[in-house]
């Protein structure tokens, strides 16, 4: 007989989201790298960092409109397959009322991650519902060096320390690393919450920078971690993966 259907509770209201895409793939970066995950990429971003690989998600009126209920139904269909991780990304997801979405995802998945530049304070993520600490993990990626933006993505770094946050810095050269070291020192960020990732949009670029970044991580020590972009290595720089 077929396995029994799983039932998930979802608080559905009339909230609408601009959505770039939803898909099922692997988390390609950070602490959950290699984990199968359901992705919701929200549309709209005003950070506009240089060399962004998801510029198609910038336009705030792009993508399509989906209700919270529709997104919950999509998530539940993936969760029934045994998937244990959901990821909300963008664009800049905190430009939308993301706390409602996270609350519902946290009722279905053992772990939920949100990927943000940090341009908005953590209250933009946890502004409506109580979500148990650690169920939603914030993958914070302030922009430095080659990815520098005219929008300040570092002003709330200290506030995010009070949440389950990892700090993922994309670096392309030694100058970028020096900026990261300065920020970590200035805001008192523990190194064991820091991930360094090579700035690269192709498999070849990543491979060229791996030896350099490996040496940087070993020099720093202190618990800092090296993360690759697994999805780029598996599929290249394409959408929906």
């Amino acid at each position: 007989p077929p396995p029994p259907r799983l039932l998930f509770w979802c608080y559905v209201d009339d909230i609408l989201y601009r959505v770039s895409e939803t898909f099922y793939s692997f988390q390609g970066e950070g602490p959950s790298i290699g984990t199968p995950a359901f992705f919701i990429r929200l549309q709209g971003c005003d950070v506009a960092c240089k060399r962004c690989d998801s510029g198609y998600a910038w336009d705030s009126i792009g993508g399509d409109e989906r209700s919270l209920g529709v997104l919950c139904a999509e998530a539940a269909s993936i969760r029934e397959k045994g998937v244990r991780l959901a990821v909300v990304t963008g664009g800049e997801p905190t430009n939308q009322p993301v706390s409602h979405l996270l609350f519902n995802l946290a009722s279905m998945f053992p772990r939920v991650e949100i990927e943000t530049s940090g341009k908005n304070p953590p209250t933009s993520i946890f502004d409506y519902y109580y979500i148990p600490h650690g169920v939603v993990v914030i993958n914070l990626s302030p922009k430095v060096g080659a990815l520098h933006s005219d929008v300040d993505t570092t002003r709330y770094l200290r506030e995010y320390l009070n949440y389950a946050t990892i700090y993922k810095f994309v670096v392309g050269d030694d100058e970028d690393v020096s900026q990261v070291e300065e920020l970590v020192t200035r805001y008192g960020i523990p190194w064991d919450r820091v991930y360094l990732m090579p700035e690269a949009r192709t498999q070849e670029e990543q491979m060229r920078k791996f030896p350099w970044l490996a040496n940087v991580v070993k020099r720093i020590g202190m618990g800092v971690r090296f993360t690759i972009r697994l999805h780029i290595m598996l599929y290249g720089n394409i959408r929906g993966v």
Side-chain angles (χ1 to χ4, degrees), residues 122-145:
T123 51
S124 65
I125 299 175
F126 302 107
D127 65 346
Y128 193 77
Y129 296 108
Y130 169 74
I131 301 173
H133 182 78
V135 175
V136 173
V137 175
I138 303 167
N139 295 339
L140 189 69
S141 186
K143 309 309 175 186
V144 299

Side-chain angles (χ1 to χ4, degrees), residues 14 61 100 123:
D14 59 355
I61 60 173
H100 302 261
T123 51

Side-chain angles (χ1 to χ4, degrees), residues 38-54:
F38 173 60
F39 285 82
I40 299 174
R41 185 184 300 281
L42 297 181
Q43 185 75 20
C45 182
D46 51 358
V47 176
C49 63
K50 300 174 178 63
R51 297 212 72 195
C52 175
D53 62 358
S54 54

Side-chain angles (χ1 to χ4, degrees), residues 10-129:
C10 186
Y11 175 75
V12 178
D13 55 22
D14 59 355
I15 294 177
L16 297 175
Y17 293 90
R18 296 302 303 183
V19 179
S20 174
E21 58 186 345
T22 57
F23 55 94
Y24 174 46
S25 186
F26 295 100
Q27 172 58 294
E29 306 168 357
S32 299
I33 190 169
T35 305
F38 173 60
F39 285 82
I40 299 174
R41 185 184 300 281
L42 297 181
Q43 185 75 20
C45 182
D46 51 358
V47 176
C49 63
K50 300 174 178 63
R51 297 212 72 195
C52 175
D53 62 358
S54 54
Y56 55 86
W58 286 7
D59 187 353
S60 61
I61 60 173
D64 62 272
E65 192 173 71
R66 303 185 208 180
S67 69
L68 177 60
V70 166
L71 290 174
C72 284
E74 289 186 56
S77 70
I78 297 296
R79 180 69 180 95
E80 287 178 343
K81 303 178 187 295
V83 177
R84 298 176 58 82
L85 173 65
V87 181
V88 178
T89 185
E92 174 48 65
T94 63
N95 286 349
Q96 299 195 46
V98 73
S99 63
H100 302 261
L101 178 59
L102 293 174
F103 177 77
N104 282 282
L105 291 174
S107 74
M108 290 184 269
F109 292 84
R111 182 180 175 98
V112 179
E113 296 180 358
I114 178 169
E115 301 184 336
T116 175
S117 66
K119 71 171 285 281
N120 295 317
T123 51
S124 65
I125 299 175
F126 302 107
D127 65 346
Y128 193 77
Y129 296 108

